Amino acid sequence: MSKFWSSTVRKTKPYVPGEQPKETDVIKLNTNENPYPPSPKALEAMQNEIGDDLRKYPSPTVDTLKNVIANREGVAPKNVFVGNGSDEVLAFAFQAFFEHNEAIKFPDITYSFYPVYAKLYDIPYQTVPLNDDFSINVDGMCNSIGGVIFPNPNAPTGLALSLNDIEKVIQGNPNQVVIIDEAYVAFGAETAAPLTKKYPNVLITRTLSKSHALAGIRLGYAIGSPELIEGLERIKNSFNSYTINRVTLAGAEAALQDDGYYSEVIERVVNTREWTRYELQQKGFEVLPSSANFLFCKPTEIQARELYEKLKNSKIYIRYFDNLEDYIRISIGTEEEMQALVDHIKQKVSAK
Ligand code: PMP
């Protein structure tokens, strides 16, 4: 370890993202990407952006995109923050809203980036174990000292909280910031965005990476009271005013105005998810109901790790987490990819 690193960097164990294999002939079901292409209108807008104007900086205030998002969400542009992927929005939120001496709360299990941010920014945290059915413990998330964060639906379980339960968490943390990470909300959960009008301490984060098949352009955003949005702007402008590049801005503006295309894509993913869940249950897997674009499941006739490795040898990538020994997470691919997965599982399990 470098003697030149600061003490916070030294004690931060970096987040390990899912594998991004170099080969192209793989079935990639490990990082919750959308298996379908982005909207043709978004692709065209990005292609049109590649030209002479790239010599100029992009807009530091991203007004056009903020207007598009505000119209869509029924809020004002001053209620919108835009970041380079929702990971960046979340990183800024940790810096803007959480303190070094007030523990925040998040569920255990949840998105594994939260403890990494907390350590990096020196924010103490307390984890709230899930209920036995893997749902988030609503009472446990109340009465935090420093704020709360949770995804809805949760990752990697895919289970969603009702708006009623979300409101309980908000009311149980009246003087703290409550962040609801809606990375997967489009696949079947209800958005808490309307609650941001009632509660100035609530921040919603979203991403175009999953629902809009644009993980490659890195675009995330947040919705909240002007006070919270200004806090995020302050962090962003102290770090890099131009975090969103011109090509990304053009693609995001077009994508967010092509709901017709995306509602079909999302419906397809949801139908394939339900088909896959049924097929895996037929093979004896325990599979949680999912409101996201992935399934969280436990194989019963083969060890989770063994299945992950065998599938990887057949060039099918799923996600295995070292800390969740018995479980795997499978992202939803195309109908053909999921058929291939189910066929392989049938062979691997019966070859035991
Ligand atoms: N939140 C959750 C719960 C996620 O799973 C992810 C993707 N790994 C993100 C946020 C970040 O997504 P992105 O940075 O691509 O917007």
Side-chain angles (χ1 to χ4, degrees):
M1 193 176 290
S2 169
K3 64 175 181 176
F4 301 112
W5 294 359
S6 75
S7 55
T8 34
V9 172
R10 246 180 260 152
K11 73 179 178 217
T12 306
K13 199 165 159 247
Y15 174 74
V16 183
E19 293 155 280
Q20 296 292 347
K22 295 226 167 50
E23 317 103 283
T24 47
D25 60 338
V26 301
I27 296 184
K28 197 172 170 304
L29 308 174
N30 65 337
T31 52
N32 299 342
E33 287 136 341
N34 198 309
Y36 298 109
S39 133
K41 288 182 187 154
L43 293 177
E44 193 188 335
M46 287 190 277
Q47 270 145 9
N48 290 341
E49 192 60 32
I50 312 258
D52 189 36
D53 272 356
L54 288 186
R55 70 195 166 73
K56 296 191 260 175
Y57 282 106
S59 162
T61 49
V62 299
D63 298 317
T64 312
L65 180 55
K66 280 191 177 181
N67 273 316
V68 171
I69 294 169
N71 279 339
R72 213 166 173 269
E73 306 289 345
V75 296
K78 65 175 190 287
N79 299 110
V80 179
F81 177 79
V82 179
N84 194 353
S86 59
D87 278 343
E88 186 183 78
V89 179
L90 292 169
F92 290 168
F94 270 64
Q95 294 173 77
F97 307 130
F98 299 151
E99 302 282 355
H100 296 306
N101 53 357
E102 297 179 351
I104 60 165
K105 282 186 176 183
F106 48 79
D108 178 26
I109 48 182
T110 194
Y111 184 30
S112 42
F113 232 131
Y114 304 157
V116 175
Y117 291 135
K119 284 186 192 130
L120 184 61
Y121 301 127
D122 230 346
I123 296 158
Y125 61 87
Q126 183 190 345
T127 54
V128 180
L130 298 181
N131 296 320
D132 288 344
D133 64 357
F134 288 96
S135 60
I136 288 179
N137 180 339
V138 172
D139 291 338
M141 293 293 288
C142 293
N143 303 314
S144 78
I145 298 170
V148 303
I149 177 163
F150 62 94
N152 196 50
N154 195 11
T157 63
L159 294 182
L161 281 185
S162 66
L163 278 192
N164 214 5
D165 279 341
I166 291 176
E167 201 160 1
K168 277 190 202 152
V169 175
I170 297 168
Q171 287 171 349
N173 293 281
N175 301 310
Q176 293 78 11
V177 172
V178 174
I179 303 176
I180 305 160
D181 173 351
E182 295 192 340
Y184 302 100
V185 76
F187 299 98
E190 234 183 314
T191 177
L195 295 178
T196 60
K197 292 188 181 162
K198 199 165 154 193
Y199 300 100
N201 58 328
V202 174
L203 190 81
I204 305 294
T205 62
R206 298 265 185 78
T207 175
L208 300 204
S209 297
K210 326 288 179 180
S211 52
H212 288 73
L214 284 167
I217 72 169
R218 312 300 301 123
L219 197 288
Y221 61 93
I223 302 166
S225 61
E227 203 182 335
L228 295 188
I229 299 303
E230 273 174 45
L232 292 172
E233 295 290 354
R234 184 177 285 215
I235 299 289
K236 185 204 85 169
N237 289 326
S238 313
F239 161 72
N240 169 11
S241 325
Y242 306 110
T243 66
I244 319 296
N245 71 70
R246 283 176 171 269
V247 179
T248 295
L249 283 174
E253 284 158 21
L256 286 167
Q257 294 179 90
D258 199 0
D259 281 343
Y261 174 83
Y262 284 112
S263 53
E264 272 178 41
V265 164
I266 290 166
E267 194 184 328
R268 232 169 137 178
V269 171
V270 168
N271 289 341
T272 311
R273 177 188 76 206
E274 293 311 305
W275 177 87
T276 309
R277 179 165 185 241
Y278 174 80
E279 291 292 324
L280 293 177
Q281 283 173 327
Q282 297 310 301
K283 313 253 158 327
F285 282 47
E286 287 170 24
V287 193
L288 290 193
S290 171
S291 299
N293 66 339
F294 53 82
L295 289 168
F296 188 63
C297 43
K298 178 178 173 181
T300 46
E301 290 175 36
I302 185 168
Q303 289 285 318
R305 184 175 193 110
E306 191 186 345
L307 180 64
Y308 156 79
E309 273 161 7
K310 283 187 163 180
L311 288 172
K312 190 171 161 180
N313 289 339
S314 306
K315 297 195 177 187
I316 299 179
Y317 285 73
I318 60 171
R319 190 78 188 257
Y320 174 77
F321 303 91
D322 282 327
N323 58 331
L324 302 173
E325 285 169 11
D326 297 337
Y327 290 84
I328 48 175
R329 189 195 66 193
I330 303 174
S331 309
I332 303 302
T334 61
E335 288 98 349
E336 297 75 26
E337 287 173 328
M338 301 321 275
Q339 181 73 60
L341 170 89
V342 167
D343 292 346
H344 269 82
I345 287 178
K346 212 187 286 178
Q347 285 167 22
K348 308 296 172 213
V349 174
S350 56
K352 283 227 21 119

